[in-house]
Amino acid sequence: MMASVPKLVVMGVSGCGKSLVGSLLAQALAVPFFDADSYHSRANVEKMASGIPLTDDDRAGWLADLASLIQDQDSGLVLACSALKRAYRERLRAENPQLRIVYLRGDFRTIWARLSRREDHYFNGQTMLESQFQLLQEPEPDEGAITLDVTDHPESLVRQCLAVLTATAEDARG
């Protein structure tokens, strides 16, 4: 069993399942779930809805708000957040060194098939997904990310993640 409740960011491109897997993971851990999309400024949402990719400057305030959110949660949390660049993940970890990354990895075809079926999301088009894949910097080994294959069922992804978290906690105890 885990000694303490972790703080997790479930990351990946739009359509990889961050919100679904993140919410299931939060339920399993009995911690709050947050979706980073809810913290975008109106200007960022309008840009994305128009098919215009966000810049690093567009994301700066958003990432600062998310880092504060993570820091303010004493009892753990799960945050669904694209966190596509290493610099974004480092920003989220700056005041939260205990933060763990869960990377939902999938190929363009699989994720585009999912996104093309969505009706209720402001993410707009294949070009936006292509830009996310171009921006994506997969976590490096030194980031200690838990990498999961999005073709598995969400419940299986949660079980896999919990198994890694439990094993990591047991290793830390010696």
Side-chain angles (χ1 to χ4, degrees):
M1 199 66 191
M2 286 172 269
S4 63
V5 180
K7 293 183 178 185
L8 305 172
V9 168
V10 179
M11 66 152 294
V13 297
S14 188
C16 71
K18 295 181 298 289
S19 296
L20 176 57
V21 172
S23 63
L24 293 172
L25 196 51
Q27 277 183 321
L29 293 167
V31 298
F33 171 74
F34 300 92
D35 192 322
D37 284 348
S38 300
Y39 293 83
H40 274 297
S41 68
R42 179 181 300 258
N44 282 1
V45 171
E46 288 172 1
K47 255 184 129 169
M48 289 184 287
S50 298
I52 302 168
L54 298 180
T55 66
D56 286 351
D57 287 342
D58 293 330
R59 289 184 179 94
W62 176 67
L63 288 167
D65 290 345
L66 296 174
S68 294
L69 172 70
I70 295 165
Q71 189 172 18
D72 292 345
Q73 294 297 312
D74 294 329
S75 61
L77 86 157
V78 176
L79 173 68
C81 177
S82 55
L84 297 176
K85 285 186 176 181
R86 183 181 181 121
Y88 304 162
R89 297 186 294 274
E90 288 174 350
R91 174 64 188 97
L92 295 175
R93 275 194 173 136
E95 294 94 23
N96 304 290
Q98 76 288 8
L99 185 67
R100 293 291 309 264
I101 303 296
V102 178
Y103 171 41
L104 301 183
R105 178 192 283 158
D107 63 54
F108 182 87
R109 183 183 307 173
T110 299
I111 293 173
W112 175 244
R114 291 179 180 186
L115 272 178
S116 62
R117 292 189 300 264
R118 281 192 183 177
E119 296 176 10
D120 61 343
H121 195 270
Y122 54 71
F123 193 85
N124 187 2
Q126 188 169 345
T127 302
M128 288 286 291
L129 183 60
E130 288 169 351
S131 75
Q132 284 203 347
F133 269 94
Q134 289 168 0
L135 191 63
L136 175 65
Q137 296 171 346
E138 292 190 336
E140 296 290 329
D142 67 315
E143 292 183 75
I146 300 167
T147 301
L148 304 171
D149 182 340
V150 301
T151 59
D152 285 343
H153 292 286
E155 294 80 7
S156 175
L157 296 175
V158 169
R159 283 192 302 275
Q160 291 171 52
C161 185
L162 292 173
V164 171
L165 292 171
T166 300
T168 303
E170 288 171 0
D171 288 347
R173 286 195 304 268

Coordinates of all heavy atoms in Angstrom, one line a residue, residues 29-119:
L29 N -7.9 6.6 -5.9 CA -7.0 7.1 -4.9 C -7.7 7.9 -3.8 O -7.1 8.4 -2.8 CB -5.9 8.0 -5.5 CG -4.9 7.2 -6.4 CD1 -4.1 8.2 -7.2 CD2 -4.0 6.3 -5.5
A30 N -9.0 8.2 -4.1 CA -9.8 9.0 -3.2 C -9.2 10.4 -3.0 O -9.1 10.9 -1.9 CB -10.1 8.3 -1.8
V31 N -8.8 11.0 -4.1 CA -8.3 12.4 -4.1 C -9.1 13.2 -5.1 O -9.8 12.7 -6.0 CB -6.8 12.4 -4.5 CG1 -6.0 11.7 -3.4 CG2 -6.5 11.9 -5.9
P32 N -9.0 14.5 -5.0 CA -9.7 15.4 -6.0 C -9.1 15.3 -7.4 O -7.9 15.0 -7.6 CB -9.5 16.8 -5.5 CG -8.9 16.7 -4.1 CD -8.3 15.3 -4.0
F33 N -10.0 15.4 -8.4 CA -9.6 15.4 -9.8 C -9.8 16.8 -10.4 O -10.9 17.5 -10.1 CB -10.5 14.4 -10.6 CG -10.3 14.6 -12.1 CD1 -9.1 14.1 -12.7 CD2 -11.2 15.2 -12.9 CE1 -8.9 14.3 -14.1 CE2 -11.0 15.3 -14.3 CZ -9.9 14.8 -14.8
F34 N -8.9 17.3 -11.1 CA -9.0 18.6 -11.8 C -8.6 18.4 -13.3 O -7.7 17.6 -13.6 CB -8.0 19.6 -11.2 CG -8.3 19.9 -9.7 CD1 -7.6 19.1 -8.7 CD2 -9.2 20.8 -9.3 CE1 -7.8 19.3 -7.4 CE2 -9.4 21.1 -8.0 CZ -8.7 20.3 -7.0
D35 N -9.3 19.2 -14.1 CA -9.0 19.1 -15.5 C -8.4 20.5 -15.9 O -9.0 21.5 -15.7 CB -10.3 18.9 -16.4 CG -10.0 18.6 -17.8 OD1 -9.0 19.2 -18.4 OD2 -10.7 17.7 -18.4
A36 N -7.1 20.5 -16.4 CA -6.4 21.7 -16.7 C -7.1 22.6 -17.7 O -7.0 23.8 -17.7 CB -5.0 21.4 -17.1
D37 N -7.9 22.0 -18.6 CA -8.7 22.7 -19.6 C -9.6 23.7 -18.9 O -9.9 24.8 -19.5 CB -9.5 21.8 -20.5 CG -8.7 21.1 -21.5 OD1 -7.5 21.4 -21.7 OD2 -9.2 20.1 -22.1
S38 N -10.1 23.4 -17.7 CA -11.0 24.3 -17.0 C -10.3 25.6 -16.5 O -10.9 26.6 -16.0 CB -11.6 23.6 -15.8 OG -12.3 22.5 -16.2
Y39 N -9.0 25.6 -16.5 CA -8.2 26.8 -16.0 C -7.6 27.7 -17.1 O -6.9 28.6 -16.9 CB -7.0 26.2 -15.1 CG -7.6 25.6 -13.9 CD1 -8.0 24.3 -13.9 CD2 -7.7 26.4 -12.7 CE1 -8.6 23.7 -12.7 CE2 -8.3 25.8 -11.6 CZ -8.7 24.5 -11.6 OH -9.3 24.0 -10.5
H40 N -7.9 27.3 -18.4 CA -7.5 28.2 -19.5 C -8.3 29.5 -19.5 O -9.4 29.6 -19.1 CB -7.8 27.5 -20.9 CG -6.7 26.6 -21.3 ND1 -5.4 27.0 -21.6 CD2 -6.7 25.3 -21.6 CE1 -4.7 26.0 -22.0 NE2 -5.4 24.9 -22.0
S41 N -7.6 30.6 -19.9 CA -8.2 31.9 -20.0 C -9.2 31.8 -21.1 O -9.1 31.0 -22.0 CB -7.2 33.0 -20.3 OG -6.6 32.8 -21.6
R42 N -10.2 32.8 -21.1 CA -11.1 32.9 -22.2 C -10.4 33.1 -23.5 O -10.8 32.5 -24.6 CB -12.1 34.0 -21.9 CG -13.1 34.2 -23.1 CD -14.0 35.4 -22.8 NE -14.7 35.2 -21.5 CZ -16.0 34.8 -21.5 NH1 -16.7 34.6 -22.5 NH2 -16.6 34.7 -20.3
A43 N -9.4 33.9 -23.5 CA -8.6 34.1 -24.8 C -8.0 32.8 -25.3 O -8.0 32.6 -26.5 CB -7.5 35.2 -24.5
N44 N -7.4 32.0 -24.4 CA -6.8 30.7 -24.8 C -7.9 29.8 -25.4 O -7.7 29.2 -26.5 CB -6.1 30.0 -23.7 CG -4.8 30.6 -23.4 OD1 -4.3 31.6 -24.0 ND2 -4.1 30.0 -22.4
V45 N -9.1 29.7 -24.8 CA -10.1 28.9 -25.3 C -10.6 29.3 -26.6 O -10.8 28.5 -27.6 CB -11.3 28.9 -24.3 CG1 -12.5 28.1 -24.9 CG2 -10.9 28.2 -23.0
E46 N -10.7 30.7 -26.8 CA -11.2 31.2 -28.1 C -10.2 30.9 -29.2 O -10.5 30.6 -30.3 CB -11.4 32.7 -28.0 CG -12.7 33.0 -27.2 CD -12.9 34.5 -26.9 OE1 -12.0 35.3 -27.3 OE2 -13.9 34.8 -26.2
K47 N -8.9 31.0 -28.9 CA -7.8 30.7 -29.8 C -7.9 29.2 -30.3 O -7.9 28.9 -31.5 CB -6.4 30.9 -29.2 CG -5.7 32.1 -29.6 CD -4.3 32.2 -29.0 CE -3.3 32.4 -30.1 NZ -2.0 32.8 -29.6
M48 N -8.0 28.3 -29.3 CA -8.1 26.9 -29.6 C -9.3 26.6 -30.4 O -9.3 25.8 -31.3 CB -8.0 26.1 -28.3 CG -6.6 26.1 -27.7 SD -6.5 25.0 -26.2 CE -7.4 25.9 -25.0
A49 N -10.5 27.2 -30.0 CA -11.7 26.9 -30.7 C -11.6 27.4 -32.2 O -12.3 26.9 -33.1 CB -12.9 27.6 -30.0
S50 N -10.8 28.4 -32.4 CA -10.6 28.9 -33.8 C -9.5 28.1 -34.6 O -9.2 28.5 -35.7 CB -10.1 30.4 -33.7 OG -11.2 31.2 -33.1
G51 N -9.0 27.1 -33.9 CA -8.0 26.3 -34.6 C -6.6 26.9 -34.5 O -5.7 26.4 -35.3
I52 N -6.3 27.8 -33.6 CA -5.0 28.4 -33.5 C -4.3 27.8 -32.3 O -4.8 27.9 -31.2 CB -5.2 30.0 -33.3 CG1 -5.9 30.6 -34.5 CG2 -3.8 30.6 -33.1 CD1 -6.4 32.0 -34.2
P53 N -3.1 27.2 -32.6 CA -2.4 26.6 -31.5 C -1.9 27.7 -30.5 O -1.6 28.8 -30.9 CB -1.2 25.9 -32.2 CG -1.6 25.8 -33.6 CD -2.5 26.9 -33.9
L54 N -1.9 27.3 -29.2 CA -1.4 28.2 -28.2 C 0.2 28.3 -28.2 O 0.8 27.3 -28.6 CB -1.8 27.7 -26.8 CG -3.3 27.6 -26.5 CD1 -3.5 27.1 -25.1 CD2 -4.0 29.0 -26.7
T55 N 0.7 29.4 -27.9 CA 2.1 29.6 -27.8 C 2.6 29.4 -26.3 O 1.7 29.3 -25.4 CB 2.5 31.1 -28.2 OG1 1.9 32.0 -27.2 CG2 2.0 31.4 -29.6
D56 N 3.9 29.4 -26.1 CA 4.4 29.3 -24.7 C 3.9 30.5 -23.9 O 3.6 30.3 -22.7 CB 5.9 29.2 -24.7 CG 6.4 27.8 -25.2 OD1 5.6 26.9 -25.4 OD2 7.6 27.7 -25.4
D57 N 3.9 31.7 -24.5 CA 3.4 32.8 -23.8 C 1.9 32.7 -23.4 O 1.6 33.1 -22.3 CB 3.6 34.1 -24.6 CG 5.0 34.6 -24.7 OD1 5.9 34.1 -23.9 OD2 5.3 35.3 -25.6
D58 N 1.1 32.1 -24.3 CA -0.3 31.9 -23.9 C -0.4 30.9 -22.7 O -1.3 31.1 -21.9 CB -1.0 31.2 -25.1 CG -1.1 32.1 -26.3 OD1 -1.2 33.3 -26.2 OD2 -1.2 31.5 -27.5
R59 N 0.5 30.0 -22.6 CA 0.4 29.0 -21.6 C 1.0 29.4 -20.2 O 0.8 28.7 -19.2 CB 1.1 27.7 -22.1 CG 0.4 27.0 -23.1 CD 1.1 25.7 -23.5 NE 0.4 24.9 -24.5 CZ 0.7 25.0 -25.8 NH1 1.6 25.8 -26.2 NH2 0.0 24.3 -26.7
A60 N 1.8 30.5 -20.2 CA 2.6 30.8 -19.0 C 1.7 31.0 -17.8 O 2.0 30.4 -16.7 CB 3.4 32.1 -19.3
G61 N 0.7 31.8 -17.9 CA -0.2 32.1 -16.7 C -1.0 30.9 -16.4 O -1.2 30.6 -15.2
W62 N -1.4 30.1 -17.3 CA -2.1 28.8 -17.1 C -1.3 27.9 -16.3 O -1.7 27.3 -15.3 CB -2.5 28.3 -18.5 CG -3.2 27.0 -18.5 CD1 -4.4 26.6 -18.1 CD2 -2.7 25.8 -19.2 NE1 -4.7 25.3 -18.4 CE2 -3.6 24.8 -19.0 CE3 -1.5 25.5 -19.8 CZ2 -3.5 23.5 -19.5 CZ3 -1.3 24.2 -20.3 CH2 -2.3 23.2 -20.1
L63 N 0.0 27.7 -16.7 CA 0.9 26.8 -16.0 C 1.2 27.3 -14.6 O 1.2 26.5 -13.7 CB 2.2 26.6 -16.8 CG 2.1 25.8 -18.1 CD1 3.4 26.0 -18.9 CD2 1.8 24.4 -17.8
A64 N 1.3 28.6 -14.4 CA 1.5 29.1 -13.1 C 0.3 28.8 -12.2 O 0.4 28.4 -11.0 CB 1.8 30.6 -13.1
D65 N -0.9 29.0 -12.7 CA -2.1 28.7 -12.0 C -2.2 27.2 -11.6 O -2.6 26.8 -10.5 CB -3.4 29.1 -12.8 CG -3.6 30.6 -12.9 OD1 -2.9 31.3 -12.2 OD2 -4.4 31.0 -13.8
L66 N -1.8 26.3 -12.5 CA -1.8 24.9 -12.3 C -0.8 24.5 -11.2 O -1.1 23.7 -10.4 CB -1.6 24.1 -13.6 CG -2.7 24.3 -14.7 CD1 -2.3 23.6 -15.9 CD2 -4.0 23.8 -14.2
A67 N 0.4 25.1 -11.3 CA 1.4 24.8 -10.3 C 0.9 25.2 -8.9 O 1.1 24.5 -7.9 CB 2.7 25.5 -10.6
S68 N 0.2 26.3 -8.8 CA -0.4 26.7 -7.5 C -1.4 25.8 -7.1 O -1.5 25.4 -5.9 CB -0.9 28.2 -7.6 OG 0.1 29.1 -7.8
L69 N -2.3 25.3 -8.0 CA -3.3 24.4 -7.7 C -2.7 23.1 -7.1 O -3.2 22.6 -6.0 CB -4.1 24.1 -8.9 CG -5.1 22.9 -8.8 CD1 -6.3 23.3 -7.9 CD2 -5.6 22.5 -10.2
I70 N -1.7 22.6 -7.7 CA -1.0 21.4 -7.2 C -0.4 21.6 -5.8 O -0.6 20.8 -5.0 CB 0.1 21.0 -8.2 CG1 -0.5 20.5 -9.6 CG2 0.9 19.8 -7.6 CD1 0.5 20.4 -10.7
Q71 N 0.2 22.7 -5.7 CA 0.8 23.0 -4.4 C -0.2 23.1 -3.3 O 0.1 22.7 -2.1 CB 1.7 24.3 -4.5 CG 2.5 24.5 -3.3 CD 3.5 25.7 -3.5 OE1 3.3 26.5 -4.4 NE2 4.5 25.8 -2.7
D72 N -1.3 23.7 -3.6 CA -2.4 23.9 -2.6 C -3.1 22.7 -2.1 O -3.8 22.7 -1.1 CB -3.4 24.9 -3.1 CG -2.8 26.3 -3.2 OD1 -1.7 26.6 -2.7 OD2 -3.5 27.1 -3.9
Q73 N -2.9 21.6 -2.8 CA -3.6 20.3 -2.5 C -2.8 19.5 -1.5 O -1.8 18.8 -2.0 CB -4.0 19.5 -3.7 CG -5.0 20.2 -4.6 CD -6.3 20.3 -3.9 OE1 -6.9 19.4 -3.3 NE2 -6.9 21.5 -4.0
D74 N -3.1 19.5 -0.3 CA -2.3 18.8 0.7 C -2.5 17.3 0.7 O -1.6 16.5 1.0 CB -2.6 19.3 2.1 CG -2.1 20.7 2.3 OD1 -1.1 21.1 1.7 OD2 -2.7 21.4 3.1
S75 N -3.7 16.9 0.3 CA -4.1 15.5 0.4 C -3.9 14.7 -1.0 O -4.6 13.7 -1.2 CB -5.5 15.3 0.9 OG -6.4 16.0 0.0
G76 N -3.1 15.2 -1.9 CA -3.0 14.6 -3.2 C -4.0 15.1 -4.2 O -5.0 15.7 -3.8
L77 N -3.8 14.8 -5.4 CA -4.7 15.2 -6.5 C -4.3 14.4 -7.8 O -3.2 13.9 -7.9 CB -4.7 16.7 -6.7 CG -3.6 17.2 -7.7 CD1 -4.1 18.5 -8.3 CD2 -2.3 17.4 -7.0
V78 N -5.2 14.5 -8.7 CA -4.9 14.0 -10.1 C -5.3 15.2 -11.0 O -6.5 15.7 -10.9 CB -5.7 12.7 -10.5 CG1 -5.4 12.4 -11.9 CG2 -5.3 11.6 -9.6
L79 N -4.4 15.6 -11.8 CA -4.7 16.7 -12.7 C -4.5 16.2 -14.2 O -3.4 15.7 -14.5 CB -3.7 17.9 -12.5 CG -3.7 19.0 -13.5 CD1 -5.0 19.8 -13.4 CD2 -2.5 19.9 -13.2
A80 N -5.5 16.3 -15.0 CA -5.4 16.0 -16.4 C -4.9 17.3 -17.1 O -5.5 18.3 -17.0 CB -6.8 15.6 -17.0
C81 N -3.7 17.2 -17.7 CA -3.1 18.3 -18.3 C -2.2 17.9 -19.5 O -1.4 16.9 -19.3 CB -2.2 19.0 -17.3 SG -1.3 20.4 -17.9
S82 N -2.3 18.5 -20.6 CA -1.5 18.1 -21.8 C 0.0 18.0 -21.4 O 0.7 17.1 -21.8 CB -1.8 19.0 -22.9 OG -1.5 20.4 -22.6
A83 N 0.6 19.1 -20.8 CA 2.0 19.1 -20.4 C 2.9 18.5 -21.4 O 3.7 17.7 -21.2 CB 2.1 18.3 -19.0
L84 N 2.7 19.0 -22.7 CA 3.4 18.4 -23.8 C 4.9 18.6 -23.8 O 5.6 17.7 -24.4 CB 2.8 19.0 -25.1 CG 1.3 18.6 -25.3 CD1 0.8 19.3 -26.6 CD2 1.1 17.1 -25.4
K85 N 5.4 19.7 -23.3 CA 6.8 20.0 -23.3 C 7.4 19.7 -22.0 O 6.8 19.9 -20.9 CB 7.1 21.4 -23.7 CG 6.9 21.8 -25.1 CD 7.4 23.3 -25.3 CE 7.3 23.7 -26.7 NZ 7.8 25.1 -26.8
R86 N 8.7 19.3 -22.0 CA 9.4 19.1 -20.7 C 9.4 20.3 -19.9 O 9.2 20.3 -18.7 CB 10.8 18.6 -21.0 CG 11.6 18.3 -19.7 CD 13.0 17.9 -20.0 NE 13.6 17.6 -18.7 CZ 14.2 16.4 -18.4 NH1 14.2 15.4 -19.3 NH2 14.7 16.3 -17.2
A87 N 9.6 21.5 -20.5 CA 9.6 22.8 -19.8 C 8.2 23.0 -19.0 O 8.2 23.5 -17.9 CB 9.8 23.9 -20.7
Y88 N 7.1 22.5 -19.6 CA 5.8 22.7 -18.9 C 5.8 21.8 -17.7 O 5.3 22.2 -16.7 CB 4.7 22.3 -19.9 CG 4.6 23.1 -21.2 CD1 3.8 22.6 -22.2 CD2 5.3 24.3 -21.4 CE1 3.7 23.2 -23.4 CE2 5.2 24.9 -22.6 CZ 4.4 24.4 -23.6 OH 4.3 25.1 -24.8
R89 N 6.3 20.6 -17.9 CA 6.3 19.6 -16.7 C 7.2 20.1 -15.7 O 6.9 20.0 -14.5 CB 6.7 18.2 -17.2 CG 5.6 17.6 -18.2 CD 5.9 16.2 -18.6 NE 7.1 16.0 -19.3 CZ 7.3 16.1 -20.7 NH1 6.2 16.4 -21.4 NH2 8.4 15.8 -21.3
E90 N 8.3 20.7 -16.1 CA 9.3 21.2 -15.1 C 8.7 22.4 -14.3 O 8.9 22.6 -13.1 CB 10.6 21.6 -15.7 CG 11.4 20.4 -16.1 CD 12.7 20.8 -16.9 OE1 12.8 21.9 -17.4 OE2 13.5 19.8 -17.2
R91 N 7.9 23.2 -15.1 CA 7.2 24.3 -14.4 C 6.2 23.8 -13.4 O 6.1 24.4 -12.3 CB 6.5 25.2 -15.5 CG 5.6 26.3 -14.9 CD 6.5 27.3 -14.1 NE 5.7 28.3 -13.4 CZ 5.4 28.3 -12.1 NH1 5.8 27.3 -11.4 NH2 4.7 29.2 -11.6
L92 N 5.5 22.8 -13.7 CA 4.5 22.2 -12.7 C 5.2 21.6 -11.5 O 4.7 21.6 -10.4 CB 3.6 21.2 -13.4 CG 2.7 21.7 -14.5 CD1 2.0 20.5 -15.2 CD2 1.7 22.7 -14.0
R93 N 6.4 21.1 -11.7 CA 7.2 20.5 -10.7 C 8.0 21.5 -9.8 O 8.5 21.1 -8.8 CB 8.1 19.4 -11.2 CG 7.5 18.1 -11.5 CD 8.7 17.1 -11.7 NE 8.2 15.8 -11.8 CZ 8.5 14.9 -12.7 NH1 9.4 15.2 -13.6 NH2 8.0 13.7 -12.6
A94 N 8.1 22.7 -10.3 CA 9.0 23.6 -9.7 C 8.8 23.8 -8.2 O 9.7 23.7 -7.4 CB 8.9 25.0 -10.3
E95 N 7.5 23.9 -7.8 CA 7.2 24.0 -6.3 C 6.6 22.7 -5.9 O 6.1 22.6 -4.7 CB 6.2 25.1 -6.1 CG 6.7 26.5 -6.3 CD 6.4 27.0 -7.7 OE1 5.4 26.5 -8.3 OE2 7.1 27.9 -8.2
N96 N 6.6 21.7 -6.7 CA 6.0 20.4 -6.4 C 6.9 19.3 -6.8 O 6.6 18.5 -7.7 CB 4.7 20.3 -7.2 CG 3.7 21.5 -6.9 OD1 3.2 21.6 -5.8 ND2 3.5 22.3 -7.8
P97 N 8.1 19.1 -6.2 CA 9.0 18.1 -6.6 C 8.5 16.7 -6.5 O 9.0 15.8 -7.2 CB 10.2 18.4 -5.7 CG 9.7 19.1 -4.5 CD 8.5 19.9 -5.0
Q98 N 7.5 16.4 -5.7 CA 7.0 15.1 -5.5 C 6.0 14.7 -6.6 O 5.5 13.6 -6.6 CB 6.3 15.0 -4.1 CG 4.9 15.7 -4.0 CD 4.9 17.2 -4.0 OE1 5.9 17.9 -4.2 NE2 3.7 17.7 -3.8
L99 N 5.7 15.6 -7.5 CA 4.7 15.4 -8.5 C 5.1 14.3 -9.5 O 6.3 14.2 -9.9 CB 4.6 16.7 -9.4 CG 3.5 16.7 -10.5 CD1 2.1 16.6 -9.8 CD2 3.6 17.9 -11.3
R100 N 4.2 13.3 -9.7 CA 4.5 12.2 -10.6 C 3.7 12.5 -11.9 O 2.6 13.0 -11.9 CB 4.0 10.9 -10.0 CG 4.7 10.4 -8.8 CD 6.1 9.9 -9.1 NE 6.3 9.0 -10.2 CZ 6.3 7.6 -10.0 NH1 6.2 7.1 -8.9 NH2 6.5 6.9 -11.1
I101 N 4.4 12.1 -13.0 CA 3.8 12.2 -14.4 C 3.3 10.9 -14.8 O 4.0 9.9 -14.7 CB 4.8 12.8 -15.4 CG1 5.4 14.1 -14.9 CG2 4.2 12.9 -16.8 CD1 4.4 15.2 -14.8
V102 N 2.1 10.8 -15.4 CA 1.5 9.6 -16.0 C 1.3 10.0 -17.4 O 0.5 10.9 -17.7 CB 0.2 9.2 -15.3 CG1 -0.4 8.0 -16.0 CG2 0.4 9.0 -13.8
Y103 N 2.0 9.4 -18.3 CA 2.0 9.8 -19.8 C 1.1 8.7 -20.5 O 1.4 7.5 -20.5 CB 3.4 9.8 -20.3 CG 3.5 9.9 -21.8 CD1 2.6 10.8 -22.5 CD2 4.4 9.2 -22.5 CE1 2.7 10.9 -23.9 CE2 4.5 9.3 -23.9 CZ 3.7 10.2 -24.6 OH 3.8 10.3 -26.0
L104 N 0.1 9.2 -21.1 CA -0.8 8.4 -22.0 C -0.3 8.5 -23.4 O -0.5 9.5 -24.1 CB -2.3 8.8 -21.8 CG -2.8 8.7 -20.4 CD1 -4.3 9.1 -20.5 CD2 -2.6 7.4 -19.8
R105 N 0.4 7.5 -23.8 CA 1.1 7.4 -25.1 C 0.2 6.8 -26.2 O -0.4 5.7 -25.9 CB 2.4 6.7 -25.1 CG 3.0 6.6 -26.5 CD 4.2 5.7 -26.5 NE 5.3 6.2 -25.8 CZ 6.3 5.5 -25.3 NH1 6.3 4.2 -25.3 NH2 7.4 6.1 -24.8
G106 N 0.0 7.4 -27.3 CA -0.8 6.8 -28.4 C -0.3 7.4 -29.7 O 0.4 8.5 -29.8
D107 N -0.6 6.7 -30.8 CA -0.2 7.2 -32.1 C -1.3 8.2 -32.7 O -2.4 8.2 -32.2 CB 0.1 6.1 -33.1 CG -1.1 5.2 -33.4 OD1 -2.2 5.8 -33.8 OD2 -1.0 4.0 -33.2
F108 N -0.9 8.9 -33.7 CA -1.8 9.9 -34.3 C -3.1 9.3 -34.8 O -4.2 9.8 -34.5 CB -1.1 10.6 -35.4 CG -1.9 11.7 -36.0 CD1 -1.9 13.0 -35.5 CD2 -2.8 11.5 -37.1 CE1 -2.7 14.0 -36.1 CE2 -3.6 12.4 -37.7 CZ -3.5 13.7 -37.1
R109 N -3.0 8.2 -35.5 CA -4.2 7.6 -36.1 C -5.3 7.2 -35.0 O -6.4 7.5 -35.1 CB -3.9 6.4 -36.9 CG -5.1 5.8 -37.6 CD -4.8 4.5 -38.4 NE -3.6 4.8 -39.3 CZ -3.1 3.8 -40.0 NH1 -3.4 2.6 -39.9 NH2 -2.1 4.1 -40.8
T110 N -4.8 6.6 -33.9 CA -5.7 6.1 -32.9 C -6.3 7.3 -32.2 O -7.6 7.3 -32.0 CB -4.9 5.3 -31.8 OG1 -4.3 4.2 -32.4 CG2 -5.8 4.9 -30.6
I111 N -5.6 8.3 -31.9 CA -6.1 9.5 -31.2 C -7.0 10.4 -32.1 O -8.0 10.8 -31.7 CB -4.9 10.3 -30.5 CG1 -4.3 9.4 -29.4 CG2 -5.4 11.6 -30.0 CD1 -3.1 9.9 -28.8
W112 N -6.6 10.5 -33.4 CA -7.5 11.2 -34.3 C -8.8 10.6 -34.4 O -9.9 11.2 -34.5 CB -6.8 11.4 -35.7 CG -7.8 12.1 -36.6 CD1 -8.3 11.6 -37.8 CD2 -8.4 13.4 -36.4 NE1 -9.2 12.5 -38.3 CE2 -9.2 13.6 -37.5 CE3 -8.3 14.4 -35.5 CZ2 -10.0 14.8 -37.7 CZ3 -9.0 15.6 -35.6 CH2 -9.8 15.7 -36.7
A113 N -8.9 9.2 -34.5 CA -10.1 8.5 -34.6 C -11.0 8.8 -33.3 O -12.2 9.0 -33.5 CB -9.9 7.0 -34.6
R114 N -10.4 8.9 -32.2 CA -11.2 9.3 -31.0 C -11.7 10.8 -31.1 O -12.9 11.0 -30.8 CB -10.3 9.2 -29.7 CG -10.0 7.8 -29.4 CD -9.1 7.8 -28.1 NE -8.8 6.4 -27.7 CZ -8.1 6.1 -26.7 NH1 -7.7 7.1 -25.8 NH2 -7.8 4.9 -26.4
L115 N -10.8 11.7 -31.4 CA -11.1 13.1 -31.4 C -12.2 13.4 -32.5 O -13.1 14.2 -32.3 CB -9.9 13.9 -31.8 CG -9.1 14.4 -30.6 CD1 -7.9 15.2 -31.1 CD2 -9.9 15.2 -29.6
S116 N -12.2 12.7 -33.6 CA -13.1 13.0 -34.7 C -14.6 12.6 -34.3 O -15.5 13.1 -34.9 CB -12.7 12.3 -36.0 OG -12.7 10.9 -35.8
R117 N -14.7 11.8 -33.2 CA -16.0 11.4 -32.8 C -16.6 12.4 -31.7 O -17.7 12.3 -31.3 CB -16.0 10.0 -32.2 CG -15.8 8.9 -33.2 CD -16.0 7.5 -32.7 NE -15.1 7.2 -31.6 CZ -13.9 6.6 -31.7 NH1 -13.5 6.2 -32.9 NH2 -13.2 6.3 -30.7
R118 N -15.7 13.3 -31.2 CA -16.2 14.2 -30.1 C -17.0 15.3 -30.7 O -16.8 15.8 -31.8 CB -15.0 14.9 -29.5 CG -14.3 14.0 -28.5 CD -13.3 14.9 -27.7 NE -12.5 14.1 -26.8 CZ -11.6 14.6 -26.0 NH1 -11.3 15.8 -26.1 NH2 -10.9 13.8 -25.2
E119 N -18.0 15.7 -29.9 CA -18.9 16.8 -30.3 C -18.9 17.9 -29.3 O -19.2 19.1 -29.6 CB -20.3 16.3 -30.4 CG -20.5 15.3 -31.5 CD -21.9 14.7 -31.5 OE1 -22.8 15.3 -30.8 OE2 -22.1 13.7 -32.3

